[in-house]
Amino acid sequence: MPRAMYRYTQAVLEKVSFDVQLFAAELRKAKQLLFPYELEELRIWLTSWVKKHPQLTPCIAGF
């Protein structure tokens, strides 16, 4: 089940990456829902995702 939540969160973030505010809101939700090891995986994924979508860089500053 936890892995499913990580994959779901990642899919949602991909879908809302067109809007910086939505992306930031979904990141805040992810911080509350995911386990610490999943957050670390998400942080790694975010690094590569933001390289493709530089407008999202401010969203991950506090992550």
Side-chain angles (χ1 to χ4, degrees), residues 11-29:
V12 169
L13 287 171
E14 287 176 1
K15 289 180 182 178
V16 300
S17 63
F18 67 92
D19 185 346
V20 176
Q21 290 180 345
L22 280 174
F23 193 84
E26 290 299 327
L27 270 180
R28 285 191 296 274
K29 289 180 192 176

Side-chain angles (χ1 to χ4, degrees), residues 1-11 29-30 32-42:
M1 178 69 144
R3 190 70 184 162
M5 184 55 80
Y6 169 77
R7 288 186 180 155
Y8 173 76
T9 300
Q10 189 176 4
K29 289 180 192 176
Q32 295 174 350
L33 295 175
L34 297 177
F35 291 116
Y37 67 91
E38 291 175 319
L39 286 174
E40 186 58 36
E41 286 183 41
L42 188 63

